[in-house]
Amino acid sequence: MLLRQLTYLVTLSQQRHFGRAAEKCNVSQPAFSEAIRTLELDLGISVVQRSRRFEGFTAEGERVLLWARRILADCGALRQEAGHQELNPAGVLRLGAIPTVLSMVPLMTDSCLATYPRITHEVYTLATSDILKGITHFELDLGMTYLGDDRLKAFLTYPLFTERYVLITRDDAGIRNKTTLTWQEVSALPLCLLTRNMQCRQGIDEAFAKAGAQVTPRVETDSMMVLYGHVRCSGLYSVVPHSALALAEMRGEIVAIPIVPQLQREIGLVLLRRDPQPLLLESVVALFTSLSLQRRVDGLLHC
């Protein structure tokens, strides 16, 4: 069994097409298909469901695919260690982040690009369940999400900052220049909120429920930019974590007002438990946790 064959298998899982996978691996399709068949002969099982086109992997093939990703990830980490590049790690960092924290990601990647110029980044917007699945299957290296999730117990976690929830509005004329609002007062406003399937919205709904308030948003969306657009252009109000104010557009055109009692949730990094950890991951986690992100997000309320 060759690493090349495992690489072909992982590429096939990504492309879902023999021709495109072969092209991605810079080999002919017959050579690509023969390598997969040889892998199946070596293992004594069928890995791929075959017909005229790619239809997926067998149950045994799915398990082989997980091992292939794990082996290739470990080989990449070994190359880093063998290269003695502790001060200048190289490779691709694949980061999955929940939508509400995306405004913070550029603060982190900007620092990483400056500190480790040989690291490139792939950033994906995903739900927490998809982030954890991607990390488990070695399709992601790192996640950024809420740390209060019970599903994270099997993973390593590193706190980054605690977000606090605020009301945002185009101007504060409609709320009589108040410096704070209660959840009851917020519930009476015409709101644009994130959709109910999002963890951020679930925390907001719990806060309303604790205050004995019921809300029926005028608009619901799974996009922070769509939410911001409705606050800016439609005169609606919204409730967001104060880290969202890192968006330059929000700082320039939006008023943020704290809501009491305060709703706080901890945001952090999530990664697989591995010993040793790959050099690239050790380096970026150490960098990201040194950035004083709490001070940065708290400063946004006073911009």
Side-chain angles (χ1 to χ4, degrees):
M1 191 188 308
L2 301 175
L3 290 177
R4 174 173 53 84
Q5 293 168 308
L6 300 182
T7 301
Y8 289 0
L9 191 68
V10 171
T11 305
L12 181 59
S13 74
Q14 295 167 344
Q15 300 297 319
R16 315 296 292 181
H17 187 277
F18 277 98
R20 289 195 297 269
E23 183 179 358
K24 186 80 173 177
C25 293
N26 296 312
V27 295
S28 67
Q29 184 170 335
F32 183 94
S33 297
E34 182 59 30
I36 298 295
R37 288 192 191 93
T38 301
L39 176 64
E40 291 178 316
L41 288 172
D42 287 344
L43 296 174
I45 60 173
S46 294
V47 172
V48 177
Q49 297 179 15
R50 283 190 174 83
S51 66
R52 289 188 174 183
R53 62 182 66 187
F54 176 78
E55 292 188 353
F57 296 94
T58 63
E60 294 86 352
E62 291 288 352
R63 290 196 291 271
V64 172
L65 181 60
L66 180 57
W67 276 102
R69 291 185 180 122
R70 181 179 301 175
I71 290 167
L72 293 175
D74 285 342
C75 283
L78 173 60
R79 290 191 183 97
Q80 279 284 336
E81 295 289 346
H84 300 293
Q85 295 289 340
E86 289 87 352
L87 299 179
N88 193 16
V92 180
L93 177 70
R94 301 164 300 174
L95 171 67
I98 56 174
T100 51
V101 303
L102 282 178
S103 60
M104 298 300 298
V105 172
L107 297 177
M108 300 159 62
T109 54
D110 181 59
S111 179
C112 193
L113 291 169
T115 307
Y116 300 120
R118 301 197 320 146
I119 294 178
T120 58
H121 300 76
E122 295 177 2
V123 179
Y124 300 94
T125 310
L126 298 167
T128 298
S129 57
D130 293 323
I131 290 173
L132 300 183
K133 180 181 176 182
I135 292 173
T136 301
H137 290 179
F138 294 89
E139 297 172 315
L140 293 174
D141 303 301
L142 200 59
M144 188 174 174
T145 186
Y146 297 106
L147 294 188
D149 195 312
D150 288 339
R151 294 172 293 180
L152 272 56
K153 291 178 180 177
F155 298 82
L156 280 178
T157 58
Y158 293 86
L160 290 176
F161 62 92
T162 299
E163 61 181 22
R164 304 198 303 274
Y165 285 70
V166 295
L167 180 86
I168 58 170
T169 175
R170 184 172 54 196
D171 60 66
D172 57 3
I175 49 180
R176 301 177 183 176
N177 299 311
K178 289 189 175 182
T179 55
T180 63
L181 289 167
T182 66
W183 291 96
Q184 278 282 2
E185 290 173 319
V186 171
S187 69
L189 299 170
L191 295 171
C192 174
L193 297 178
L194 294 170
T195 50
R196 296 179 189 273
N197 63 306
M198 300 181 71
Q199 282 185 290
C200 177
R201 172 64 185 278
Q202 291 162 16
I204 291 169
D205 283 347
E206 288 174 9
F208 278 125
K210 285 180 181 178
Q214 293 184 340
V215 289
T216 304
R218 302 288 298 277
V219 178
E220 296 181 74
T221 176
D222 63 358
S223 165
M224 289 294 291
M225 292 309 298
V226 172
L227 182 149
Y228 162 69
H230 278 86
V231 172
R232 178 178 176 272
C233 301
S234 301
L236 298 180
Y237 300 80
S238 190
V239 178
V240 298
H242 74 313
S243 60
L245 301 175
L247 290 170
E249 295 86 350
M250 281 199 183
R251 290 202 304 273
E253 301 183 358
I254 293 295
V255 176
I257 301 154
I259 306 173
V260 292
Q262 195 174 85
L263 170 61
Q264 296 188 152
R265 304 181 78 185
E266 192 171 35
I267 298 292
L269 300 175
V270 182
L271 65 157
L272 207 59
R273 294 183 184 274
R274 298 166 72 182
D275 187 16
Q277 283 289 347
L279 174 63
L280 184 148
L281 269 180
E282 278 192 345
S283 301
V284 297
V285 167
L287 176 63
F288 290 164
T289 54
S290 72
L291 294 179
S292 301
L293 292 178
Q294 189 68 61
R295 177 177 54 81
R296 294 195 186 193
V297 296
D298 289 347
L300 297 171
L301 288 173
H302 308 292
C303 292

